[in-house]
Amino acid sequence: MRICTTIAAMFAIMALFFGCERRTEERQLKNFISAHVGKVKPVAKQARLAYWQAANSGDAADYDQSSRLELQIRQIYTDSQEFAFLKGLKQSSRIKDAELARQLDVLYNAYLANQIDPLLLKEIVELGTEIEKNFSTFRGTIEGKKVTVNEIKEILKTETDSVKRKQAWVASKQVGAVAADDLIELVKLRNRSARQVGFENFHTLSLTLSELDIDELDRIFNELYELTNEPFRKLKSELDAILADKYGVEVNQLMPWHYHDPFFQETPLVYELNLDTYYEDEDVRELAIKFYDGIALGVDSIIANSDLYEREGKNPHAFCTDIDKEGDVRILCNLKNNENWMETMLHELGHGVYDKYHDINVPYLLREPAHIFTTEAIAMLFGRLSRNGAWMQQMLKLSDEQRLEIDKVSSRYAQLKQLIFVRWAMVMYNFEKQLYANPEQDLNSLWWRMVSKYQFVNKPPGRDEPDWAGKIHFTIAPCYYHNYVLGELLASQLHYYIVFNVLELQSDKDVSYVGHSKAGDFLRRKIFEPGSLYRWDDIIEQATGQPLTPKYFVDEFVK
Ligand SMILES: [Zn+2]
């Protein structure tokens, strides 16, 4: 009895001691976070304002200011003592408070990414810039004459002579031969940097830092491969029949240059869907504002701070930026009243509402989308509406006949577009994984094995060139491509959940989302407000009741 009491007392004291210890460490972390946020927050805001300014003015001085501030932020994360402190805390497993533990994970990853030897980092940045420069200045040649990328694209879209198509395709690949050696060198440098921080290669490091698990990603990609295999084979054989007929060759003689872009990543023009006539007399800005208002995700404050129209010197593309994580969210567009800009406007405002509707009580470090692909998913979910017959009918007040015309082509087009894209993305994902696993292997053959396996495109007989190296993403956005696919999958998963569980409809056939405030409320509560308070996989499971799966994407597009 006595002994028992003593032991119990000992345990109580120990618990008290470790409890204290834990609380001490949690206090230390809290202090660290508030000092860290004190440093980062003002510079991050300045950096985003500077980038905004540069994108609007196009001035070199503005761009310089923007990169200076980005560098200043990066330097905060290079501090090795601070990293050691965070690592110690992580290894101690004594941070029990969920919010603190989550912030610790986010901080740890951000610091880890910047613990590379500065000289090696400099080498990586310089070589990347060099390759990018070569890409932008290189011109392929056709019969000794230089051609631009746009000229090549034009030939692949319109030329009917196979010989000329081949010349254009070959010209599009010449940049690969120029870039390949540097790119392999860059891969090796990136791998070296990854090994410095304890990873086997850069691909694994990139995925781990973005909280993606390689086995999980492989599982998703394999499932998508299996589920799209037969439908894609069928769809591609229909397409091949059309192309073979058009170019006067046998189907089995079709070569990569018979598709309408250098990598067969886009829908060939034979299925082109032009919906511009429906938008030319509309105001895409007003349509977007009205739509988001109707789903209880008002965008007035975003629009007020945004820059929507073309101007000399302005960035010709589109993006969304969260300036301060306190409500100043802006989008940059170059609006025209056509379908493409309708999609872009809906897409960017999708990013915009995600940022705008974060709960301000969520800690600063977690007040952002759960993952780059979750915000892409929201943007895609809304961007898809610009081609949705039901949405167009309601928003543009179309007749039933007009709706019928759109429906006839739009779902088939969406199916093609999505299938062609995900099969192409499988090439990118699987090739890049193996590229980093072993950059010494025969990459030229590896590339064509992937193209043949996933895209069913023939390798030109005898060809042994670095055709893979002509894809600039390997240089400027390494190990990133999978995010586009995950975004599409999640957009479909959310769509189905909203249709059947939130709006409680019987079918997704006529769903336009127009006026469905419940849809907006759901996204706001389950996805936007928590930001990255939980990991992306937890958020998806909490919101939809199951882990991320390709099933709904397949239901939506693979019929
Ligand atoms: Zn986007």
Side-chain angles (χ1 to χ4, degrees), residues 102 354-355 357-359 362-363 365-371 374 523-536 539-540 542:
R102 181 76 191 125
Y354 201 150
D355 294 339
Y357 290 105
H358 289 320
D359 181 348
V362 167
L365 292 174
L366 307 178
R367 218 180 299 146
E368 56 189 25
H371 199 277
T374 61
L523 290 172
R524 182 174 173 163
R525 261 183 311 108
K526 294 292 192 174
I527 311 274
F528 305 166
E529 282 181 357
S532 62
L533 202 50
Y534 316 101
R535 269 174 61 116
W536 64 268
I539 293 261
I540 293 174
Q542 283 164 23

mmCIF file of all heavy atoms in Angstrom, residues 102 354-355 357-359 362-363 365-371 374 523-536 539-540 542:
data_model
loop_
_atom_site.group_PDB
_atom_site.id
_atom_site.type_symbol
_atom_site.label_atom_id
_atom_site.label_comp_id
_atom_site.label_asym_id
_atom_site.label_seq_id
_atom_site.Cartn_x
_atom_site.Cartn_y
_atom_site.Cartn_z
ATOM 1 N N ARG A 102 0.866 22.272 -35.387
ATOM 2 C CA ARG A 102 0.666 22.519 -36.814
ATOM 3 C C ARG A 102 1.577 23.664 -37.292
ATOM 4 O O ARG A 102 2.201 23.582 -38.347
ATOM 5 C CB ARG A 102 -0.814 22.850 -37.052
ATOM 6 C CG ARG A 102 -1.184 23.117 -38.478
ATOM 7 C CD ARG A 102 -1.262 21.849 -39.303
ATOM 8 N NE ARG A 102 -1.372 22.193 -40.716
ATOM 9 C CZ ARG A 102 -0.564 21.751 -41.675
ATOM 10 N NH1 ARG A 102 0.392 20.898 -41.398
ATOM 11 N NH2 ARG A 102 -0.724 22.139 -42.916
ATOM 12 N N TYR A 354 -11.272 32.082 -51.567
ATOM 13 C CA TYR A 354 -10.567 31.186 -50.612
ATOM 14 C C TYR A 354 -9.757 32.056 -49.640
ATOM 15 O O TYR A 354 -9.849 31.918 -48.415
ATOM 16 C CB TYR A 354 -9.653 30.240 -51.406
ATOM 17 C CG TYR A 354 -9.228 28.958 -50.725
ATOM 18 C CD1 TYR A 354 -8.965 27.811 -51.489
ATOM 19 C CD2 TYR A 354 -9.066 28.860 -49.341
ATOM 20 C CE1 TYR A 354 -8.559 26.613 -50.895
ATOM 21 C CE2 TYR A 354 -8.660 27.674 -48.748
ATOM 22 C CZ TYR A 354 -8.401 26.555 -49.525
ATOM 23 O OH TYR A 354 -7.996 25.376 -48.950
ATOM 24 N N ASP A 355 -8.973 32.984 -50.186
ATOM 25 C CA ASP A 355 -8.131 33.845 -49.343
ATOM 26 C C ASP A 355 -8.959 34.807 -48.496
ATOM 27 O O ASP A 355 -8.696 34.998 -47.318
ATOM 28 C CB ASP A 355 -7.174 34.671 -50.226
ATOM 29 C CG ASP A 355 -6.148 33.797 -50.946
ATOM 30 O OD1 ASP A 355 -5.902 32.666 -50.482
ATOM 31 O OD2 ASP A 355 -5.612 34.242 -51.984
ATOM 32 N N TYR A 357 -11.977 34.637 -47.373
ATOM 33 C CA TYR A 357 -12.836 34.096 -46.316
ATOM 34 C C TYR A 357 -12.108 33.211 -45.313
ATOM 35 O O TYR A 357 -12.726 32.428 -44.601
ATOM 36 C CB TYR A 357 -14.055 33.394 -46.934
ATOM 37 C CG TYR A 357 -15.007 34.389 -47.565
ATOM 38 C CD1 TYR A 357 -15.097 34.537 -48.943
ATOM 39 C CD2 TYR A 357 -15.795 35.220 -46.760
ATOM 40 C CE1 TYR A 357 -15.950 35.465 -49.526
ATOM 41 C CE2 TYR A 357 -16.654 36.155 -47.327
ATOM 42 C CZ TYR A 357 -16.728 36.271 -48.712
ATOM 43 O OH TYR A 357 -17.576 37.206 -49.268
ATOM 44 N N HIS A 358 -10.774 33.343 -45.214
ATOM 45 C CA HIS A 358 -10.086 32.673 -44.095
ATOM 46 C C HIS A 358 -10.600 33.293 -42.797
ATOM 47 O O HIS A 358 -10.879 34.495 -42.744
ATOM 48 C CB HIS A 358 -8.577 32.920 -44.153
ATOM 49 C CG HIS A 358 -7.886 32.216 -45.269
ATOM 50 N ND1 HIS A 358 -8.198 30.935 -45.647
ATOM 51 C CD2 HIS A 358 -6.873 32.603 -46.085
ATOM 52 C CE1 HIS A 358 -7.411 30.577 -46.647
ATOM 53 N NE2 HIS A 358 -6.612 31.569 -46.949
ATOM 54 N N ASP A 359 -10.678 32.484 -41.758
ATOM 55 C CA ASP A 359 -11.065 32.985 -40.438
ATOM 56 C C ASP A 359 -9.891 33.793 -39.869
ATOM 57 O O ASP A 359 -8.784 33.283 -39.728
ATOM 58 C CB ASP A 359 -11.373 31.786 -39.529
ATOM 59 C CG ASP A 359 -11.817 32.212 -38.142
ATOM 60 O OD1 ASP A 359 -11.684 33.408 -37.804
ATOM 61 O OD2 ASP A 359 -12.302 31.327 -37.409
ATOM 62 N N VAL A 362 -7.666 32.403 -37.091
ATOM 63 C CA VAL A 362 -6.669 31.363 -37.332
ATOM 64 C C VAL A 362 -5.290 32.032 -37.287
ATOM 65 O O VAL A 362 -5.130 33.138 -37.812
ATOM 66 C CB VAL A 362 -6.923 30.692 -38.709
ATOM 67 C CG1 VAL A 362 -5.739 29.845 -39.145
ATOM 68 C CG2 VAL A 362 -8.192 29.848 -38.649
ATOM 69 N N PRO A 363 -4.292 31.404 -36.629
ATOM 70 C CA PRO A 363 -2.976 32.049 -36.530
ATOM 71 C C PRO A 363 -2.424 32.466 -37.899
ATOM 72 O O PRO A 363 -2.654 31.773 -38.891
ATOM 73 C CB PRO A 363 -2.091 30.960 -35.916
ATOM 74 C CG PRO A 363 -3.027 30.037 -35.225
ATOM 75 C CD PRO A 363 -4.324 30.103 -35.963
ATOM 76 N N LEU A 365 0.347 32.242 -39.446
ATOM 77 C CA LEU A 365 1.113 31.272 -40.245
ATOM 78 C C LEU A 365 0.225 30.233 -40.916
ATOM 79 O O LEU A 365 0.630 29.591 -41.874
ATOM 80 C CB LEU A 365 2.150 30.553 -39.377
ATOM 81 C CG LEU A 365 3.302 31.401 -38.858
ATOM 82 C CD1 LEU A 365 4.160 30.583 -37.895
ATOM 83 C CD2 LEU A 365 4.164 31.933 -40.001
ATOM 84 N N LEU A 366 -0.977 30.061 -40.393
ATOM 85 C CA LEU A 366 -1.881 29.048 -40.956
ATOM 86 C C LEU A 366 -3.019 29.673 -41.770
ATOM 87 O O LEU A 366 -3.885 28.973 -42.277
ATOM 88 C CB LEU A 366 -2.474 28.184 -39.837
ATOM 89 C CG LEU A 366 -1.454 27.538 -38.889
ATOM 90 C CD1 LEU A 366 -2.166 26.739 -37.802
ATOM 91 C CD2 LEU A 366 -0.495 26.637 -39.670
ATOM 92 N N ARG A 367 -2.983 31.006 -41.863
ATOM 93 C CA ARG A 367 -4.065 31.695 -42.582
ATOM 94 C C ARG A 367 -3.762 31.717 -44.075
ATOM 95 O O ARG A 367 -3.463 32.737 -44.674
ATOM 96 C CB ARG A 367 -4.217 33.110 -42.029
ATOM 97 C CG ARG A 367 -5.676 33.574 -41.932
ATOM 98 C CD ARG A 367 -5.760 34.975 -41.381
ATOM 99 N NE ARG A 367 -5.205 35.091 -40.044
ATOM 100 C CZ ARG A 367 -4.570 36.178 -39.603
ATOM 101 N NH1 ARG A 367 -4.405 37.223 -40.381
ATOM 102 N NH2 ARG A 367 -4.090 36.213 -38.379
ATOM 103 N N GLU A 368 -3.790 30.547 -44.663
ATOM 104 C CA GLU A 368 -3.576 30.402 -46.105
ATOM 105 C C GLU A 368 -4.173 29.073 -46.541
ATOM 106 O O GLU A 368 -4.482 28.230 -45.700
ATOM 107 C CB GLU A 368 -2.078 30.454 -46.423
ATOM 108 C CG GLU A 368 -1.259 29.445 -45.673
ATOM 109 C CD GLU A 368 0.244 29.663 -45.845
ATOM 110 O OE1 GLU A 368 0.648 30.795 -46.126
ATOM 111 O OE2 GLU A 368 0.981 28.688 -45.693
ATOM 112 N N PRO A 369 -4.359 28.874 -47.865
ATOM 113 C CA PRO A 369 -4.965 27.610 -48.308
ATOM 114 C C PRO A 369 -4.197 26.400 -47.777
ATOM 115 O O PRO A 369 -2.983 26.464 -47.560
ATOM 116 C CB PRO A 369 -4.868 27.701 -49.834
ATOM 117 C CG PRO A 369 -4.905 29.164 -50.117
ATOM 118 C CD PRO A 369 -4.130 29.790 -48.992
ATOM 119 N N ALA A 370 -4.914 25.292 -47.575
ATOM 120 C CA ALA A 370 -4.300 24.098 -46.999
ATOM 121 C C ALA A 370 -3.180 23.558 -47.881
ATOM 122 O O ALA A 370 -2.230 22.955 -47.396
ATOM 123 C CB ALA A 370 -5.362 23.025 -46.779
ATOM 124 N N HIS A 371 -3.305 23.775 -49.172
ATOM 125 C CA HIS A 371 -2.274 23.307 -50.099
ATOM 126 C C HIS A 371 -2.424 24.091 -51.382
ATOM 127 O O HIS A 371 -3.495 24.612 -51.677
ATOM 128 C CB HIS A 371 -2.448 21.805 -50.379
ATOM 129 C CG HIS A 371 -1.212 21.150 -50.930
ATOM 130 N ND1 HIS A 371 -0.884 21.201 -52.255
ATOM 131 C CD2 HIS A 371 -0.231 20.443 -50.312
ATOM 132 C CE1 HIS A 371 0.263 20.535 -52.430
ATOM 133 N NE2 HIS A 371 0.670 20.069 -51.274
ATOM 134 N N THR A 374 -5.259 22.663 -53.293
ATOM 135 C CA THR A 374 -6.638 22.867 -52.827
ATOM 136 C C THR A 374 -7.174 24.210 -53.327
ATOM 137 O O THR A 374 -8.342 24.325 -53.685
ATOM 138 C CB THR A 374 -6.778 22.770 -51.289
ATOM 139 O OG1 THR A 374 -5.977 23.786 -50.673
ATOM 140 C CG2 THR A 374 -6.364 21.411 -50.761
ATOM 141 N N LEU A 523 -18.441 25.691 -48.646
ATOM 142 C CA LEU A 523 -17.017 25.883 -48.949
ATOM 143 C C LEU A 523 -16.363 26.812 -47.926
ATOM 144 O O LEU A 523 -15.248 26.578 -47.474
ATOM 145 C CB LEU A 523 -16.853 26.457 -50.355
ATOM 146 C CG LEU A 523 -17.190 25.495 -51.492
ATOM 147 C CD1 LEU A 523 -17.180 26.224 -52.831
ATOM 148 C CD2 LEU A 523 -16.209 24.320 -51.537
ATOM 149 N N ARG A 524 -17.117 27.828 -47.582
ATOM 150 C CA ARG A 524 -16.570 28.798 -46.645
ATOM 151 C C ARG A 524 -16.274 28.142 -45.285
ATOM 152 O O ARG A 524 -15.187 28.272 -44.743
ATOM 153 C CB ARG A 524 -17.594 29.917 -46.477
ATOM 154 C CG ARG A 524 -17.145 31.022 -45.575
ATOM 155 C CD ARG A 524 -18.164 32.143 -45.590
ATOM 156 N NE ARG A 524 -17.811 33.127 -44.587
ATOM 157 C CZ ARG A 524 -18.301 34.348 -44.571
ATOM 158 N NH1 ARG A 524 -19.146 34.736 -45.486
ATOM 159 N NH2 ARG A 524 -17.943 35.180 -43.631
ATOM 160 N N ARG A 525 -17.239 27.418 -44.782
ATOM 161 C CA ARG A 525 -17.078 26.805 -43.452
ATOM 162 C C ARG A 525 -16.036 25.697 -43.446
ATOM 163 O O ARG A 525 -15.210 25.615 -42.551
ATOM 164 C CB ARG A 525 -18.428 26.215 -42.988
ATOM 165 C CG ARG A 525 -19.199 27.097 -42.037
ATOM 166 C CD ARG A 525 -20.484 26.436 -41.552
ATOM 167 N NE ARG A 525 -21.285 25.870 -42.629
ATOM 168 C CZ ARG A 525 -21.417 24.568 -42.859
ATOM 169 N NH1 ARG A 525 -20.814 23.682 -42.084
ATOM 170 N NH2 ARG A 525 -22.165 24.129 -43.863
ATOM 171 N N LYS A 526 -16.110 24.824 -44.455
ATOM 172 C CA LYS A 526 -15.292 23.612 -44.414
ATOM 173 C C LYS A 526 -13.896 23.762 -45.000
ATOM 174 O O LYS A 526 -12.987 23.034 -44.653
ATOM 175 C CB LYS A 526 -16.012 22.474 -45.160
ATOM 176 C CG LYS A 526 -17.286 22.033 -44.488
ATOM 177 C CD LYS A 526 -16.945 21.353 -43.172
ATOM 178 C CE LYS A 526 -18.166 20.652 -42.611
ATOM 179 N NZ LYS A 526 -17.847 19.867 -41.417
ATOM 180 N N ILE A 527 -13.778 24.690 -45.971
ATOM 181 C CA ILE A 527 -12.483 24.786 -46.660
ATOM 182 C C ILE A 527 -11.781 26.129 -46.410
ATOM 183 O O ILE A 527 -10.612 26.151 -46.045
ATOM 184 C CB ILE A 527 -12.648 24.603 -48.189
ATOM 185 C CG1 ILE A 527 -13.504 23.371 -48.521
ATOM 186 C CG2 ILE A 527 -11.284 24.574 -48.882
ATOM 187 C CD1 ILE A 527 -12.778 22.064 -48.608
ATOM 188 N N PHE A 528 -12.519 27.231 -46.621
ATOM 189 C CA PHE A 528 -11.849 28.535 -46.590
ATOM 190 C C PHE A 528 -11.479 28.962 -45.166
ATOM 191 O O PHE A 528 -10.352 29.381 -44.918
ATOM 192 C CB PHE A 528 -12.725 29.627 -47.223
ATOM 193 C CG PHE A 528 -13.191 29.328 -48.632
ATOM 194 C CD1 PHE A 528 -14.216 30.079 -49.215
ATOM 195 C CD2 PHE A 528 -12.616 28.309 -49.377
ATOM 196 C CE1 PHE A 528 -14.651 29.821 -50.513
ATOM 197 C CE2 PHE A 528 -13.046 28.037 -50.672
ATOM 198 C CZ PHE A 528 -14.074 28.799 -51.234
ATOM 199 N N GLU A 529 -12.456 28.892 -44.257
ATOM 200 C CA GLU A 529 -12.203 29.417 -42.910
ATOM 201 C C GLU A 529 -11.018 28.750 -42.215
ATOM 202 O O GLU A 529 -10.148 29.437 -41.688
ATOM 203 C CB GLU A 529 -13.484 29.327 -42.058
ATOM 204 C CG GLU A 529 -14.436 30.433 -42.416
ATOM 205 C CD GLU A 529 -15.731 30.450 -41.608
ATOM 206 O OE1 GLU A 529 -15.929 29.539 -40.782
ATOM 207 O OE2 GLU A 529 -16.531 31.373 -41.826
ATOM 208 N N PRO A 530 -10.937 27.422 -42.211
ATOM 209 C CA PRO A 530 -9.809 26.805 -41.483
ATOM 210 C C PRO A 530 -8.437 27.049 -42.108
ATOM 211 O O PRO A 530 -7.420 26.829 -41.438
ATOM 212 C CB PRO A 530 -10.144 25.315 -41.479
ATOM 213 C CG PRO A 530 -11.189 25.109 -42.504
ATOM 214 C CD PRO A 530 -11.895 26.412 -42.690
ATOM 215 N N GLY A 531 -8.378 27.508 -43.355
ATOM 216 C CA GLY A 531 -7.068 27.739 -43.986
ATOM 217 C C GLY A 531 -6.232 26.478 -43.923
ATOM 218 O O GLY A 531 -6.672 25.423 -44.376
ATOM 219 N N SER A 532 -5.034 26.580 -43.324
ATOM 220 C CA SER A 532 -4.247 25.352 -43.194
ATOM 221 C C SER A 532 -4.085 24.969 -41.724
ATOM 222 O O SER A 532 -3.057 24.452 -41.302
ATOM 223 C CB SER A 532 -2.901 25.463 -43.904
ATOM 224 O OG SER A 532 -2.141 26.485 -43.339
ATOM 225 N N LEU A 533 -5.151 25.213 -40.982
ATOM 226 C CA LEU A 533 -5.194 24.782 -39.586
ATOM 227 C C LEU A 533 -5.000 23.268 -39.499
ATOM 228 O O LEU A 533 -4.472 22.748 -38.526
ATOM 229 C CB LEU A 533 -6.570 25.161 -39.027
ATOM 230 C CG LEU A 533 -6.768 25.317 -37.537
ATOM 231 C CD1 LEU A 533 -5.716 26.202 -36.905
ATOM 232 C CD2 LEU A 533 -8.156 25.893 -37.267
ATOM 233 N N TYR A 534 -5.448 22.561 -40.522
ATOM 234 C CA TYR A 534 -5.220 21.112 -40.627
ATOM 235 C C TYR A 534 -4.510 20.857 -41.953
ATOM 236 O O TYR A 534 -4.579 21.669 -42.863
ATOM 237 C CB TYR A 534 -6.543 20.340 -40.606
ATOM 238 C CG TYR A 534 -7.495 20.836 -39.555
ATOM 239 C CD1 TYR A 534 -8.562 21.677 -39.897
ATOM 240 C CD2 TYR A 534 -7.298 20.508 -38.222
ATOM 241 C CE1 TYR A 534 -9.413 22.166 -38.925
ATOM 242 C CE2 TYR A 534 -8.152 21.001 -37.240
ATOM 243 C CZ TYR A 534 -9.206 21.829 -37.601
ATOM 244 O OH TYR A 534 -10.039 22.326 -36.644
ATOM 245 N N ARG A 535 -3.885 19.693 -42.044
ATOM 246 C CA ARG A 535 -3.253 19.328 -43.307
ATOM 247 C C ARG A 535 -4.302 19.161 -44.391
ATOM 248 O O ARG A 535 -5.464 18.878 -44.105
ATOM 249 C CB ARG A 535 -2.519 17.989 -43.151
ATOM 250 C CG ARG A 535 -1.081 18.089 -42.731
ATOM 251 C CD ARG A 535 -0.564 16.683 -42.479
ATOM 252 N NE ARG A 535 -0.657 15.887 -43.701
ATOM 253 C CZ ARG A 535 0.402 15.388 -44.339
ATOM 254 N NH1 ARG A 535 1.612 15.592 -43.875
ATOM 255 N NH2 ARG A 535 0.250 14.672 -45.433
ATOM 256 N N TRP A 536 -3.894 19.246 -45.681
ATOM 257 C CA TRP A 536 -4.836 19.139 -46.804
ATOM 258 C C TRP A 536 -5.649 17.849 -46.755
ATOM 259 O O TRP A 536 -6.847 17.851 -47.044
ATOM 260 C CB TRP A 536 -4.085 19.244 -48.133
ATOM 261 C CG TRP A 536 -3.114 18.126 -48.390
ATOM 262 C CD1 TRP A 536 -1.789 18.110 -48.062
ATOM 263 C CD2 TRP A 536 -3.386 16.851 -48.979
ATOM 264 N NE1 TRP A 536 -1.230 16.908 -48.417
ATOM 265 C CE2 TRP A 536 -2.174 16.113 -48.987
ATOM 266 C CE3 TRP A 536 -4.535 16.251 -49.522
ATOM 267 C CZ2 TRP A 536 -2.082 14.816 -49.506
ATOM 268 C CZ3 TRP A 536 -4.434 14.966 -50.039
ATOM 269 C CH2 TRP A 536 -3.225 14.255 -50.021
ATOM 270 N N ILE A 539 -8.358 18.147 -44.112
ATOM 271 C CA ILE A 539 -9.397 19.087 -44.554
ATOM 272 C C ILE A 539 -10.349 18.392 -45.542
ATOM 273 O O ILE A 539 -11.573 18.496 -45.431
ATOM 274 C CB ILE A 539 -8.762 20.323 -45.257
ATOM 275 C CG1 ILE A 539 -7.975 21.158 -44.256
ATOM 276 C CG2 ILE A 539 -9.810 21.140 -46.005
ATOM 277 C CD1 ILE A 539 -8.668 22.363 -43.706
ATOM 278 N N ILE A 540 -9.784 17.657 -46.497
ATOM 279 C CA ILE A 540 -10.613 17.012 -47.514
ATOM 280 C C ILE A 540 -11.502 15.948 -46.874
ATOM 281 O O ILE A 540 -12.694 15.842 -47.178
ATOM 282 C CB ILE A 540 -9.737 16.384 -48.629
ATOM 283 C CG1 ILE A 540 -9.034 17.491 -49.419
ATOM 284 C CG2 ILE A 540 -10.579 15.510 -49.573
ATOM 285 C CD1 ILE A 540 -8.026 16.996 -50.444
ATOM 286 N N GLN A 542 -12.459 15.852 -43.724
ATOM 287 C CA GLN A 542 -13.467 16.517 -42.889
ATOM 288 C C GLN A 542 -14.583 17.100 -43.745
ATOM 289 O O GLN A 542 -15.749 17.097 -43.374
ATOM 290 C CB GLN A 542 -12.824 17.646 -42.072
ATOM 291 C CG GLN A 542 -12.022 17.158 -40.869
ATOM 292 C CD GLN A 542 -11.100 18.252 -40.323
ATOM 293 O OE1 GLN A 542 -11.337 19.438 -40.524
ATOM 294 N NE2 GLN A 542 -10.043 17.851 -39.649
#
